[in-house]
Amino acid sequence: MCGGLGSTVQSGPHAVAMLKFILLVNKQGQTRLARYYQHPEHEYISTERDIIRKCLAREDSQCSFLEYKKFKLVYRRYASLYFIAGVDHTENELAILELIHNLVETYDKYFDKVCELDIMFNLDKAYMILEEMVMNGRIVEMNQNRILLPIRVMDQAIQKWS
């Protein structure tokens, strides 16, 4: 079992959170990281602009969940970045918010106070961290130390050979 959301990681078709996509977007609406699961990317790209516009237009006092077409959007703003997740209507919004928060904390731990420039200039590492947490739209790991271990090992190998 994984830490954090480990209690939700169980066997069964709907026991593990199923994500359709995760987007990291700045306040100007520019996508900095996008990862799509389940469906071909082209199905979402046409609606990505609309999704971003809807999330950015909402007030801070409004709920971080909203219904959008065939799925639900769960988002959270951290400094200048919006973290947006698309999930099935049946998913637990609070569990997805916890995933987003843990992703931000993991980025903070790796990048030492992550900012938009860290994501832009280390996009490969940002994707690796996300891939250690979510595979094929399912949350597989929430323990920050286990998430960062393979990335730090890779960093050490690069340091050793350079």
Side-chain angles (χ1 to χ4, degrees):
M1 290 293 149
C2 303
L5 288 178
S7 59
T8 64
V9 180
Q10 300 169 356
S11 61
H14 297 291
V16 178
M18 242 352 239
L19 292 130
K20 296 190 176 292
F21 59 84
I22 294 180
L23 304 172
L24 272 66
V25 180
N26 68 11
K27 288 193 277 190
Q28 290 75 37
Q30 298 167 317
T31 303
R32 296 301 183 202
L33 180 144
R35 179 66 172 104
Y36 295 90
Y37 306 100
Q38 293 183 330
H39 300 286
E41 198 170 310
H42 67 273
E43 289 182 24
Y44 291 119
I45 289 178
S46 60
T47 60
E48 186 176 308
R49 282 274 143 233
D50 193 35
I51 290 168
I52 292 168
R53 197 170 2 93
K54 285 187 181 301
C55 290
L56 268 59
R58 293 175 63 90
E59 299 290 323
D60 287 341
S61 60
Q62 289 182 291
C63 180
S64 293
F65 322 131
L66 66 132
E67 300 290 325
Y68 182 82
K69 296 186 179 180
K70 298 178 186 174
F71 46 87
K72 190 177 346 183
L73 299 175
V74 180
Y75 72 95
R76 179 92 188 254
R77 186 179 130 205
Y78 289 91
S80 65
L81 287 174
Y82 285 80
F83 290 72
I84 305 168
V87 296
D88 292 324
H89 287 287
T90 58
E91 293 303 335
N92 181 340
E93 298 94 347
L94 295 177
I96 302 305
L97 273 180
E98 186 176 344
L99 168 69
I100 291 170
H101 184 72
N102 194 50
L103 177 61
V104 171
E105 285 184 335
T106 306
Y107 282 154
D108 272 345
K109 191 171 184 177
Y110 182 77
F111 294 114
D112 191 35
K113 302 290 184 185
V114 69
C115 68
E116 184 178 350
L117 291 175
D118 290 324
I119 301 295
M120 288 173 53
F121 293 123
N122 298 287
L123 196 57
D124 56 337
K125 301 284 175 64
Y127 273 109
M128 285 181 200
I129 290 168
L130 179 60
E131 293 298 319
E132 288 294 322
M133 296 177 77
V134 180
M135 288 186 183
N136 296 323
R138 295 192 185 274
I139 298 169
V140 294
E141 186 63 72
M142 292 292 285
N143 182 295
Q144 293 175 11
N145 293 326
R146 287 191 293 234
I147 292 165
L148 293 176
L149 181 65
I151 294 141
R152 289 192 172 135
V153 167
M154 187 180 70
D155 288 345
Q156 289 172 352
I158 290 169
Q159 289 267 332
K160 182 180 175 183
W161 297 106
S162 32

